[in-house]
C-alpha cells in the first residue's frame, strides 16, 4: 500500500480532480473483460500531458511502485489488471487527435482516444484507421496489445499501421521512436519493440498512425456450410486463391444461434462465413465475388448470399462485433474462459477441426468457436458452472490442448489478445528457453526496478 507521504507527493504532480484513492475508482480499474481475478490499485491518476506521465513514472521508479497503463479496460487476458497494486494511469484525458496529415494518410493521436471515435473524425477527410478489434478500444491499448480484428487480411494488424511513438521509459525519460516516413531502416526498430509489449517496457503517450482511404465500393457476403471444418476449408481456399477480402470471419453454429436469439434474425443455424470485399469499381468486385462463390460451392456451401446492401452489411457486422456481448446475455452470471490462438492460413482447417472435436467431447459446458479466419486467428468462449474448480478443468481440457495444437501447426498461443496473465504458461513452449531469457533481459534493461505492469508477458 502507498503511504500518506507517497499519496501526498503524487497529488502535488496533478490537479485534485486527476487523482483518486477512493474505493469506487480503484474497483473500476481492478479488472478487464477477462475472467481473471481482479486486483485493486492503490491510486488512479488521469494524466493530461506527457510531462505529467513522466513525473509520475519517475517517482514510481524511485519509490519502487508498480505502475499500469489503462485505456478502455477491454483486454481479454488480464493485460491491464494491476497485479501488484500501485498506480494505474488512466489515459481518458489524453484523447485528442493532434494532427492529421491527410495528403500522407497519417494521423498523430494521444493514447486515450477510442478508435471508433477517432474514425468518425477521420471520415471527414475520407480516411480511417483500419485495425478493427470490435470493442471500442483505446489506441494506446490497441498498440500495447497489437490488436488486430476483422480487417486484418487486407490492412494488417495494429503493428503494421504504427509509424512512430512517443514513449515514457521506466525512469521517466521520454523518447521518440520511428518517423513519419513509410520507409525506415535507421537503427533498431524500437517502435515495433514497444508494440505488443503490454506496457511492460514503456508507457505510450503519443502515436503516429498509418491510415487508409475509405472504400468507395464494397460488397458483403454471408455463406453457410454443413460443418465448421468445411467452413474453415473454404477460408483456406479463398485466401490460397490469392483473393483479398477486407474481412473474413468464421462463426460456428452456436454463434449463429446466439445472434438469431438476441437480434431476432432467422439466419440458417450452421457454420457461417462473413466476408467483405473493397474494390475500385463495382466490376472488379463482381469478378472477385464470382471466384469466391465458386470456391465456397466447391467446399460444400449450403448457401451463398453476396451483394448485401449497406443496411444488411451494417447489421451483419453489428452482430459480429457484439457477439461476445450477446453470449453474456444468454449466459448471465456464468463463469467463462475466453481465449485465442493463431496459425498459418494453410493450417487453419486442422486447428478449427481440433477445437471443434475437443469442444464436442466436453460435458457441462457451452462453447463457441469463431474468429478472424482470414489471418488464421481463432477465438473461443466457453461458459461453465462452477468457479474456480471448473475453470481449471476447462483450461486443461480445452485451452491447453488447443494451444498445443496451434503451436504444433507452426502458430502461436495468442493471436491478438496478448500474453497478459493467461498465456504466460505457454510462452516457454512457444519460444524456448534462450528466447525467453532474452525477453527477460530486455525487460530488465528497460525496467530494471520492475515497476511497469509487473507480472505480465514475462515472469
Amino acid at each position: 500500500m502507498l503511504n500518506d507521504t507517497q499519496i501526498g507527493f503524487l497529488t502535488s504532480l496533478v490537479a485534485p480532480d486527476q487523482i483518486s484513492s477512493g474505493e469506487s475508482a480503484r474497483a473500476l480499474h481492478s479488472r478487464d473483460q477477462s475472467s481473471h481475478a481482479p486486483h485493486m490499485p492503490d491510486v488512479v491518476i488521469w494524466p493530461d500531458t506527457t510531462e505529467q506521465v513522466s513525473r509520475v513514472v519517475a517517482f514510481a521508479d524511485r519509490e519502487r511502485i508498480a505502475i499500469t497503463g489503462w485505456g478502455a479496460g477491454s483486454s481479454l487476458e488480464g493485460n491491464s489488471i494491476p497485479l501488484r497494486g500501485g498506480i494505474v494511469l488512466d489515459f481518458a484525458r489524453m484523447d485528442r487527435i493532434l494532427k492529421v496529415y491527410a495528403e500522407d494518410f497519417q494521423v498523430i493521436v494521444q493514447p486515450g482516444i477510442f478508435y471508433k471515435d477517432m474514425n468518425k473524425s477521420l471520415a471527414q477527410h475520407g480516411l480511417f484507421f483500419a485495425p478493427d478489434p470490435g470493442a471500442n478500444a483505446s489506441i494506446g491499448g490497441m498498440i500495447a496489445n497489437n490488436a488486430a480484428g476483422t480487417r486484418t487480411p487486407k490492412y494488417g494488424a495494429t503493428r503494421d499501421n504504427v509509424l512512430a511513438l512517443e514513449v515514457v521509459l521506466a525512469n521517466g525519460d521520454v523518447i521518440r521512436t520511428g518517423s513519419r516516413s513509410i520507409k525506415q531502416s535507421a537503427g533498431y526498430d524500437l517502435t515495433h519493440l514497444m508494440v505488443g509489449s503490454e506496457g511492460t517496457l514503456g508507457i505510450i503517450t503519443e502515436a503516429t498512425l498509418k491510415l487508409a482511404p475509405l472504400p468507395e465500393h464494397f460488397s458483403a457476403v454471408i455463406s453457410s456450410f454443413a460443418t465448421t471444418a468445411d467452413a474453415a476449408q473454404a477460408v483456406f481456399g479463398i485466401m490460397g486463391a490469392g483473393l483479398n477480402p477486407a474481412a473474413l470471419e468464421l462463426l460456428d453454429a452456436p454463434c449463429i444461434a446466439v445472434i438469431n436469439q438476441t437480434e431476432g434474425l432467422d439466419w440458417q443455424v450452421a457454420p457461417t462465413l462473413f466476408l467483405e470485399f473493397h474494390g475500385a469499381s463495382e466490376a472488379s468486385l463482381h469478378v472477385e465475388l464470382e471466384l469466391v462463390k465458386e470456391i465456397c460451392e466447391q467446399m460444400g456451401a449450403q448457401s451463398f448470399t453476396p451483394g448485401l446492401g449497406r443496411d444488411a452489411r451494417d447489421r451483419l457486422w453489428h452482430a459480429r462485433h457484439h457477439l461476445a456481448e450477446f453470449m453474456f446475455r444468454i449466459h448471465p452470471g456464468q463463469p467463462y474462459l475466453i481465449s485465442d490462438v493463431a496459425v498459418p492460413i494453410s493450417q487453419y482447417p486442422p486447428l478449427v477441426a481440433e477445437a471443434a472435436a475437443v469442444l464436442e467431447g466436453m460435458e457441462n459446458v457451452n462453447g463457441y468457436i469463431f474468429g478472424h479466419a482470414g489471418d488464421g486467428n481463432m477465438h473461443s468462449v466457453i461458459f461453465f458452472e462452477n468457479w474456480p474448480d471448473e475453470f481449471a478443468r476447462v483450461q486443461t481440457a480445452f485451452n491447453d490442448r488447443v494451444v498445443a495444437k496451434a503451436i504444433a501447426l507452426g502458430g502461436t498461443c495468442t493471436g491478438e489478445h496478448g500474453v497478459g496473465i493467461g498465456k504466460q504458461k505457454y510462452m516457454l513452449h512457444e519460444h524456448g528457453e534462450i528466447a525467453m531469457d532474452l525477453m527477460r533481459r530486455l525487460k530488465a534493461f528497460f525496467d530494471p526496478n520492475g515497476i511497469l505492469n509487473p507480472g505480465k508477458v514475462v515472469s
Side-chain angles (χ1 to χ4, degrees), residues 78-146:
N79 317 66
S80 56
I81 295 175
L83 283 179
R84 298 182 191 168
I87 302 166
V88 161
L89 284 178
D90 185 326
F91 286 96
R93 294 192 180 201
M94 294 180 67
D95 63 347
R96 293 187 298 128
I97 293 176
L98 300 176
K99 179 72 174 179
V100 177
Y101 295 92
E103 65 278 11
D104 293 321
F105 302 97
Q106 294 173 8
V107 65
I108 299 177
V109 300
Q110 293 180 310
I113 192 168
F114 293 161
Y115 92 96
K116 289 184 180 180
D117 301 333
M118 180 182 72
N119 276 344
K120 287 178 182 177
S121 296
L122 292 173
Q124 64 184 311
H125 302 281
L127 301 170
F128 77 118
F129 183 62
D132 176 21
N136 195 11
S138 71
I139 290 297
M142 290 178 66
I143 294 171
N145 293 299
N146 187 31

Side-chain angles (χ1 to χ4, degrees), residues 31 33-35 76 252 254-255 258-259 261-262 322-339 358-360 362-370 379-395 397-399:
R31 69 175 308 151
Q33 292 185 3
S34 72
S35 55
L76 295 169
D252 68 2
C255 290
V258 164
I259 290 172
Q261 182 175 341
T262 53
H322 289 81
L323 179 58
E325 175 187 330
F326 298 160
M327 291 175 184
F328 293 133
R329 288 188 204 170
I330 298 294
H331 304 282
Q334 277 192 262
Y336 57 90
L337 171 68
I338 297 177
S339 187
V358 172
L359 196 54
E360 187 175 348
M362 297 178 66
E363 297 180 351
N364 301 319
V365 301
N366 294 105
Y368 303 88
I369 295 172
F370 55 101
H379 299 309
S380 56
V381 181
I382 301 176
F383 293 89
F384 48 93
E385 293 297 327
N386 300 309
W387 179 275
D389 295 340
E390 288 292 287
F391 182 74
R393 178 178 73 88
V394 171
Q395 277 273 19
F398 184 84
N399 215 30

Side-chain angles (χ1 to χ4, degrees), residues 270-337:
T272 299
L273 297 183
F274 292 173
L275 304 96
E276 183 169 316
F277 290 85
H278 298 167
S281 67
E282 295 287 351
S284 65
L285 283 176
H286 179 74
V287 171
E288 205 160 21
L289 291 181
E290 284 299 312
L291 293 172
V292 173
K293 181 180 180 182
E294 181 179 337
I295 292 169
C296 287
E297 289 178 344
Q298 288 175 353
M299 301 303 172
Q302 297 178 326
S303 66
F304 185 88
T305 307
L308 298 177
R310 181 174 293 275
D311 289 344
R313 172 253 201 183
D314 290 348
R315 195 168 192 184
L316 181 151
W317 292 117
H318 170 84
R320 172 61 187 91
H321 286 149
H322 289 81
L323 179 58
E325 175 187 330
F326 298 160
M327 291 175 184
F328 293 133
R329 288 188 204 170
I330 298 294
H331 304 282
Q334 277 192 262
Y336 57 90
L337 171 68

Side-chain angles (χ1 to χ4, degrees), residues 228-237 250 299 343-356 373 376 378 405 409:
T228 305
D230 289 344
Q233 194 64 46
V235 169
F236 172 58
L250 182 149
M299 301 303 172
V343 293
I345 196 66
S346 64
Q347 301 303 313
Y348 199 65
L351 171 69
V352 172
E354 173 81 1
M378 187 195 77
K405 181 70 171 180
L409 293 172

